[in-house]
Amino acid sequence: MQKWKEKAVKLGLLGASSTSILIVLLIFFYLIKEALPFALDPGLSSLSGSLWAPTSMLKESFGILPLLTGSLLVTAMATIIAIPVGVIAAIYISEIARPAEREVLKPFIELLAALPSVVIGFFGLVVFVPLVKSVFGLSTGLTALTGALLLALMAIPTIISISEDAISSVPSSYKQASLALGASKLETIFKITVPAALSGIVASITLGIGRVIGETMAVLMVTGNAAVVTMNPLTSVRTMTATIAAEMGEVAFGSHHYRALFWVALILLGITFALNILAQKALSKYKLG
Amino acid sequence: MVMIGNQTPPQIDEPEIEIDVQNLDFYYGKHQALHDICMSVPKGMVTALIGPSGCGKSTFLRTLNRMNDIIGGTRVEGKIVIQSKDIYAPNIDVVMLRKRVGMVFQKPNPFPKSIFENVAYGPRIHGIKNRAQLQEIVERSLVRAAIWDEVKDRLHISGLELSGGQQQRLCIARALAVDPDILLMDEPASALDPRSTQRIEDLIAELRGDYTIVIVTHNMQQAARVSDYTAFFYEGHLIEFGKTERIFTKPNNKQTEDYITGRFG
Amino acid sequence: MAKKKTEKIVYGVIWFVTYLVVFMVGYIIFDIVIKGLPAISWGFLTQMPAKSGSQGGILPAIVGTFYLVIGTVAIALPLGIASAIYLNEYSKPSTFTRMIRLGISTLAGVPSIVFGLFGMGLFVLALGFGKSILAGSLTLACMVLPTIIVASEEALKAVPDSMREGSLALGATKWQTIYKNVLPYALPGMLTGSILGIGRAAGETAPIIFTVAATLLPRLPRSIFDQVMALPYHLYMLATQMPNQTTIKPMQYGTAFVLLVIVLGVDVVAIIFRSRLRRKNKW
Ligand SMILES: Nc1ncnc2c1ncn2[C@@H]1O[C@H](COP(=O)(O)OP(=O)(O)O)[C@@H](O)[C@H]1O
Ligand SMILES: [Mg+2]
């Protein structure tokens, strides 16, 4: 009787976990399955062009270059802004702030990570877009720079939170040794503590980039969504994520365009997978160290 | 070289045997942790397992209630007969075995439940639902474990709020509540202060006779104080087994002598 | 002396940068609360939208988000918790389980829009559920499933093995041990992590745009095959798809405010839950 119950429970749990594993596999396989036929017709080479015009009447064109450069441009700018800000704030919270201040600052900043991206996008639309427009005297504030500012805002809490953990877990014996040698507190921070926490900081940055590159709504709302190859931060761009969001509603099931969007998704998946592995590597290093 | 000793227990006034271990080998994966152990644990007495750290005392103790089963990749050869049943036979119910053979761990591990619920846990598992009956068992077990007077007014507080020594006696009460015949204790006092240790030793003396107790200890004086029989383990081998008095005064084996006189270990 | 001076400046810069971030967070929340609160009224919360959303209330969007959360929880929570129990308590560590964990953690980092595309392709089109609560909940459930599994496994790992051994040594079976002496201690942690994930799902837009969200549907859903409005998508729509941007500002802020209250409210509940728990279980 009892034996039967044990067996039944185990079987039930096994069933549940198999289902979960199947779902994970299903997602990966389904994305590949929907993307794959595109490799035969019209062929993968058509992805390499620099014109994204999937619904053109004359000749549909699936060059993903503008989408890649769009994502690259916004992500790079956001990262450049977010890294120094995030790391510096992490240093302040972990090493300089008073204990009570620290208790308040960290959760408050982490609130930012909890805000839905559509809310941040909305805020960008009503605050950043007019700001960028007037500061640079543009005809529209819907630019790559605006998107990058918002994305930096979204990456910063991730960077702060994980970097702060890494910095504050540096053994205090290191710091004391440095201070005992006559180094000032700042010298100790920059020469001892931060280098010792480096792999954790790298992990935080990697995860931050992962968040930025996969972000959809905020960029969709403020970058203007023009699919052009450009490196000018003051022009409108269209990212990979925004492309999927903007176009998947109109595609015909099974069409070239439909499959091309799955390729874009696969590329995103590949990038986030690589970033995830990198971050795990860096994290495990700092947890050991 | 280690001498493999299979001393038969002393023949004088022939005690009744509760646990009979026959040619026991134990493996963690490829690593053999116990070699050909033969030992007869007498009923109602206290048997101490001594030996340097890593010699297999805990491993041996845990073969007696099959707690090693939960570690993956382990393997047992040989026989352990408890109350004339081979406990590694395929038709053995591990649940019933562990009900007969209670265990107390090195680090006190009260559950984060009330004192009452800690002690009632075992009886409940074994199907006792009647509140009055549970209450009776809880009180009897706590009295038996010599902690009733300290906790009788606060049975509802968490077991984690007790001191280390009290926690360990609570764990003993918890083990007694399922009414075992045998009690296995793995260094039950090693995490405790001297006073608490004293109380545990008193308690063991108290329980002697009603339970067959097998206790691991790294403390030689403790073994000498509390036990009737002593087994000396070394590198996975049982080197010597016999009456505690004799082992500590006239050990047959050189290694045993060296160990109990503190020359190595 | 010069060294002292540069140190002062560096400290100043560090302080400034940190409080700039704090200011931004405060500004966003303050802005939405100050401008959103006045837009909130009983009518706003309980009426149907009118004039293509530029007037009236947001009731169907609130109800829609509520249904989506319920649907997601109903699918993902039992599945995720049961999977975590199996993975952590029953399965033996092997290359296979390592691969599974890699797959799960990878999925946790996949952009939400990719889930949206997957959900549209599989649930809406291939399986023919159409845009519906069912398709949307399934999509969101796929998205939060890894979070729930990871959080639940962590909560299970936090229960010391001595709890399992102690119970087994008393003659409890494996499942009795898990059910009576592991789950009760792990459950609050499991739920906290899961609630945080679900709160995030409630605020997501990308996965629901093409799996369930209706632009304007001034009625309440009748079955799981109905489309619904949802707060995040409604805000997106009000902010980007409406011509008269200045006159509908209060509608936008009001919607943003309600969304914020729901999402942060869920988080706050989870966090209070967790800090309570931390104080309780000190093994
Ligand atoms: N779970 C385990 N897995 C593998 N080897 C183990 C495990 N537990 C103990 N061992 C090994 O078995 C031997 C005996 O250990 P143990 O029984 O704990 O010794 P003692 O209790 O006498 O200190 C040691 O070499 C130890 O490394
Ligand atoms: Mg031991």
Side-chain angles (χ1 to χ4, degrees), chain B residues 114-116 138-139 142-143 147-158 161-162 166:
Chain B
S114 71
I115 293 171
F116 183 91
V138 168
E139 174 169 353
L142 288 168
V143 168
I147 189 181
W148 172 250
D149 289 334
E150 290 155 67
V151 300
K152 62 171 184 266
D153 305 321
R154 40 182 187 145
L155 293 178
H156 58 277
I157 69 162
S158 166
E161 286 176 42
L162 298 174
Q166 290 174 326

Side-chain angles (χ1 to χ4, degrees), chain A residues 198-221:
Chain A
L198 204 59
S199 50
I201 295 175
V202 169
S204 80
I205 292 170
T206 318
L207 290 172
I209 295 176
R211 171 135 205 234
V212 164
I213 211 159
E215 173 49 41
T216 309
M217 297 318 288
V219 285
L220 179 66
M221 292 165 84

Side-chain angles (χ1 to χ4, degrees), chain B residues 116-134:
Chain B
F116 183 91
E117 286 303 326
N118 261 282
V119 183
Y121 184 89
R124 278 194 210 277
I125 288 286
H126 297 294
I128 295 175
K129 295 203 176 75
N130 181 302
R131 180 85 194 173
Q133 201 182 347
L134 282 173

Side-chain angles (χ1 to χ4, degrees), chain A residues 2 6 14 16-17 20-21 30 92 101 114-115 119 122 125 184 187 216 220 245 248-249 253 269 273 276, chain C residues 3 7 15 18-19 21 32 83 86 100 105-106 110 113 120-121 125 173 175-176 205 210 236 239 252 260 267:
Chain A
Q2 187 124 67
E6 290 286 312
L14 175 64
S17 72
S20 295
I21 294 159
Y30 192 77
Y92 181 84
E101 192 182 4
L115 299 183
V119 170
F122 168 65
L125 212 50
S184 72
E187 285 168 333
T216 309
L220 179 66
M248 71 183 180
F253 186 45
L269 191 72
F273 178 72
N276 188 24
Chain C
K3 190 172 161 190
E7 290 227 329
W15 183 90
T18 308
Y19 276 88
V21 176
I32 287 168
S83 304
Y86 187 83
I100 290 168
S105 78
T106 301
V110 168
I113 187 71
M120 181 193 75
L125 300 176
T173 62
W175 175 243
Q176 282 174 328
T205 316
F210 298 112
Y236 170 69
Q252 298 173 345
L260 209 61
D267 286 359

Side-chain angles (χ1 to χ4, degrees), chain C residues 38-67:
Chain C
I40 306 296
S41 65
W42 184 242
F44 183 70
L45 297 176
T46 57
Q47 280 171 10
M48 292 295 162
K51 301 228 166 103
S52 66
S54 62
Q55 283 174 29
I58 55 167
L59 178 67
I62 297 176
V63 172
T65 289
F66 181 72
Y67 280 153

